[in-house]
Amino acid sequence: MKIADSSTSAVSLVESSLKRIEETKDYNIFTYVDKNRALKKAKEIDEKIKRGETVGRLAGVPFALKANFLSKGRPADASAKILTEFISPIDSTTTEKLEAEGAICVGCVNLDAFAHGSSTENSYYGPTSNAFDKTRVAGGSSGGSAVAVALGCVEFATGSDTGGSIRQPAAFNGVFGIKPTYGTISRYGVVAMASSLDVIGFFTKAAEDLDILMSITAGQDPKDQTTLPDFYGKNDTPLNKKKIGFIKEFMESSALNPEIKASLESKLNEAKENGYEIVELSMPTLEYALAAYYIIQPAEVASNLSRYDGVRYGFRSSNVKSLDDLFANTRDEGFMRENKRRIMIGNFVLSSGFYDAYFLKAAKVRTLIIDEFNKAFESVDAILSPVSPNLAFKIGEKTSDPVLMYLEDVMSVPVNLAGIPAVAFPTGKSKDGLPLGLQLLGPRRSDKNLIKLAGKLA
Amino acid sequence: MEITDKDINHLADLSNTSLSSEEKEALKQDLGNILKYIGKLDELNTDGVEPTYQVFEMENVWRNDEIAAQDANREELLNLTKEEIENQIKVPKVL
């Protein structure tokens, strides 16, 4: 990352970022550009540098916020109609920490509304294009974040990952992305999706940059009681067995794109040549992870999205005769189809008569998945895996079939169910010029060492 | 599992959402397909397995019983609503 100093001004960094945002407008990346405020902050940083005052570790570095992050005075609509017109009165803890280190927010970027999706096509603002092929999807839900970094609009972008929303768009656009251990970074001020799965993370062009961002933003937050006591850079799980595993069932999956498979095999070979022992792991329960995820996640979505009623903030339907109309019509007009699917599936699996068969069953499968990972990490440091079975697909290819779209997440959701960290990194290009990427999975609290290892493997 | 008209109306009700008849038809189809997919879990034996509801390792995280400074004040929060009268949010008549 280029940091402002006496030879490079913050203003010049922000100006080139704004120029690049303008040049890439047709990719539909930014939902809001905060030009004046960014330039004003850049000038302040330059003056501080001139006066010889200390500036932060991210002085003058332009960044983008996924539009489900709240930041004071900026819109935070999660690319959902129901939150349009909502200007945040507060800062998320992550935004506050980044800005305190001198990073400059140049705007907010597109996502699937409420982060419900795997392609950024479910956005109220329409799809974001892939950085390498405009006819293909950006991936999702953090599609805008990945493309903003890949096309050089910003040095880094924030993301949230509930089932693969950072890792899959990172892989689709050839950048690095981290999904940290559950509870590492405060979620205060980020629009909640599924609370037992959601984590905050980042997109960058280099592994070292992920480490800088993690060291700044990780840590216990009194405003988010699900944050773990500080461990990043202090009490990291070591990865010193010199053993890397791969999941037999993923490797042998008929759904896995052959070029991704070849990339995985070649990276495992490279690791072997560099002195790592390669271990084949059989993890048969992972086949059921996606089904468990599509019970647990919608159940939590249904609860978290019950707060959007048009009363206190955001969009309110004008087709209203009674208070009941206000709730029901605001939600009908304000949610995307995919939001409604998830809310209704969630209410179904939680409803009386179905709870045991669906929600309780999924919660038990979650235990089996965690056990399988715990066992795997007894024998290996980390697991190298595809992020998604596919390369970036065509815009519109999967929108008519929700189950087909959900299958995008089949190799990414086990990580969220288990609460473990994973780093997605680029591994080259397919024969058609699309980015290839893999993810490296580690035990809880191995985030720092995992970033280092992913950087070595990339 | 097939979703009937009665099911979709019940779920729309639980979800506090009005739906057009066209959307109801589409959702009936989609929800049926999704439930068919997640029904896959029936293949797995989970007898005697404890459920996991969350992966956070701590329970009962307490804070001191003190009033903390708030990030937004009353006026800022009331400004977010569409209609406000005398420091209260205005909604259609309830009774």
Side-chain angles (χ1 to χ4, degrees):
Chain A
M1 268 189 294
K2 184 67 203 143
I3 319 279
D5 54 25
S6 51
S7 58
T8 310
S9 72
V11 168
S12 69
L13 293 176
V14 167
E15 277 175 345
S16 63
S17 163
L18 293 168
K19 186 167 162 260
R20 192 71 189 129
I21 293 170
E22 192 57 38
E23 286 165 0
T24 55
K25 238 179 165 170
D26 49 345
Y27 285 84
N28 196 27
I29 307 168
F30 281 78
T31 57
Y32 175 73
V33 180
D34 206 354
K35 186 180 167 186
N36 294 337
R37 196 162 144 190
L39 284 169
K40 185 169 168 267
K41 190 170 174 200
K43 277 179 200 145
E44 285 166 13
I45 288 174
D46 285 338
E47 275 160 29
K48 272 189 182 175
I49 293 172
K50 241 185 246 165
R51 290 196 299 265
E53 290 171 26
T54 47
V55 285
R57 284 181 281 173
L58 298 172
V61 177
F63 77 100
L65 281 174
K66 185 177 181 179
N68 57 353
F69 281 67
L70 274 62
S71 72
K72 197 165 181 160
R74 297 189 182 101
D77 61 20
S79 293
K81 184 180 177 184
I82 206 164
L83 274 175
T84 48
E85 302 166 52
F86 172 66
I87 305 293
S88 175
I90 65 152
D91 269 328
S92 69
T93 299
T94 302
T95 314
E96 197 176 83
K97 283 181 170 180
L98 293 169
E99 291 189 326
E101 289 288 348
I104 298 178
C105 174
V106 290
C108 307
V109 286
N110 203 12
L111 65 148
D112 289 292
F114 287 107
H116 297 178
S118 311
S119 66
T120 313
E121 291 172 286
N122 291 328
S123 162
Y124 179 54
Y125 300 106
T128 295
S129 289
N130 187 279
F132 290 81
D133 179 347
K134 277 189 197 163
T135 67
R136 290 179 185 271
V137 298
S141 66
S142 315
S145 306
V147 179
V149 172
L151 291 179
C153 301
V154 287
E155 290 283 344
F156 72 90
T158 66
S160 57
D161 191 315
T162 306
S165 282
I166 289 175
R167 290 159 287 149
Q168 185 250 29
F172 277 13
N173 295 283
V175 296
F176 286 82
I178 183 163
K179 181 266 168 213
T181 300
Y182 183 81
T184 305
I185 298 178
S186 170
R187 301 181 294 185
Y188 175 75
V190 180
V191 176
M193 177 179 161
S195 303
S196 83
L197 302 160
D198 294 345
V199 299
I200 304 308
F202 302 99
F203 293 84
T204 63
K205 278 202 166 162
E208 310 85 80
D209 294 341
L210 287 181
D211 178 47
I212 298 171
L213 297 171
M214 289 292 291
S215 63
I216 289 168
T217 54
Q220 202 161 23
D221 181 7
K223 293 174 188 168
D224 175 0
Q225 295 184 330
T226 60
T227 41
L228 293 165
D230 299 4
F231 69 89
Y232 193 88
K234 291 174 189 150
N235 189 19
D236 307 294
T237 306
L239 303 178
N240 48 19
K241 298 187 185 82
K242 286 285 247 182
K243 287 181 186 176
I244 293 176
F246 70 92
I247 302 163
K248 179 177 159 262
E249 289 80 3
F250 284 3
M251 185 70 100
E252 290 170 359
S253 163
S254 58
L256 183 61
N257 174 294
E259 289 188 85
I260 299 175
K261 184 177 176 172
S263 168
L264 175 58
E265 284 168 339
S266 122
K267 280 293 162 195
L268 288 168
N269 272 334
E270 266 179 47
K272 199 173 170 184
E273 282 161 17
N274 287 321
Y276 285 89
E277 188 186 324
I278 306 302
V279 181
E280 181 185 87
L281 302 163
S282 177
M283 303 181 72
T285 315
L286 297 194
E287 189 193 335
Y288 300 94
L290 189 71
Y293 174 81
Y294 272 96
I295 292 170
I296 294 166
Q297 172 261 107
E300 296 182 13
V301 161
S303 309
N304 274 326
L305 269 61
S306 65
R307 75 189 68 173
Y308 302 105
D309 56 9
V311 173
R312 290 151 299 159
Y313 47 79
F315 166 79
R316 184 187 281 192
S317 171
S318 50
N319 173 24
V320 167
K321 288 194 191 73
S322 67
L323 187 60
D324 284 342
D325 285 353
L326 190 153
F327 298 148
N329 293 342
T330 296
R331 288 167 68 81
D332 177 32
E333 294 164 37
F335 285 134
M336 307 286 289
R337 176 74 58 85
E338 180 60 20
N339 304 138
K340 292 177 189 171
R341 282 187 198 115
R342 294 190 186 202
I343 292 169
M344 291 170 80
I345 284 286
N347 282 324
F348 177 86
V349 299
L350 290 173
S351 58
S352 124
F354 296 107
Y355 179 90
D356 284 3
Y358 289 96
F359 192 74
L360 185 62
K361 179 87 183 178
K364 289 180 175 180
V365 173
R366 191 173 188 177
T367 304
L368 295 175
I369 289 164
I370 292 169
D371 291 347
E372 231 165 51
F373 275 116
N374 284 342
K375 200 172 145 236
F377 291 124
E378 280 171 18
S379 60
V380 299
D381 292 322
I383 301 170
L384 195 58
S385 157
V387 174
S388 132
N390 305 305
L391 300 170
F393 45 92
K394 291 274 185 190
I395 291 174
E397 193 182 320
K398 301 188 182 192
T399 40
S400 59
D401 183 349
V403 175
L404 197 63
M405 187 69 89
Y406 294 173
L407 285 166
E408 258 310 297
D409 304 337
V410 72
M411 293 169 175
S412 54
V413 297
V415 164
N416 300 77
L417 289 170
I420 58 173
V423 177
F425 60 96
T427 58
K429 295 272 163 60
S430 74
K431 58 181 189 308
D432 294 332
L434 294 174
L436 292 163
L438 296 171
Q439 60 175 338
L440 191 67
L441 285 51
R444 284 186 199 178
R445 295 185 176 79
S446 68
D447 306 51
K448 192 178 173 73
N449 292 320
L450 205 60
I451 291 170
K452 216 186 284 170
L453 187 55
K456 262 195 239 169
L457 292 172
Chain B
M1 179 172 170
E2 205 177 314
I3 298 284
T4 62
D5 287 331
K6 198 179 152 207
D7 293 332
I8 230 46
N9 288 332
H10 178 57
L11 288 175
D13 214 26
L14 287 177
S15 307
N16 217 337
T17 305
S18 54
L19 297 171
S20 68
S21 50
E22 185 204 353
E23 197 164 22
K24 272 184 196 169
E25 277 311 307
L27 282 164
K28 241 165 72 180
Q29 190 80 30
D30 290 348
L31 265 47
N33 290 339
I34 295 166
L35 289 174
K36 197 171 136 200
Y37 179 78
I38 62 184
K40 186 181 166 70
L41 290 189
D42 290 342
E43 294 168 17
L44 207 58
N45 184 355
T46 52
D47 290 350
V49 178
E50 283 295 313
T52 298
Y53 297 112
Q54 51 103 352
V55 291
F56 193 57
E57 298 151 13
M58 293 149 77
E59 268 178 44
N60 297 338
V61 179
W62 306 108
R63 62 166 177 78
N64 292 335
D65 189 17
E66 289 162 1
I67 298 171
Q70 297 297 306
D71 289 352
N73 62 35
R74 181 192 176 101
E75 195 190 342
E76 285 170 318
L77 294 175
L78 280 168
N79 278 342
L80 297 173
T81 189
K82 290 273 179 237
E83 281 186 84
E84 180 211 330
I85 292 178
E86 293 170 6
N87 281 332
Q88 295 179 74
I89 294 169
K90 190 181 167 193
V91 293
K93 205 167 140 183
V94 180
L95 289 173

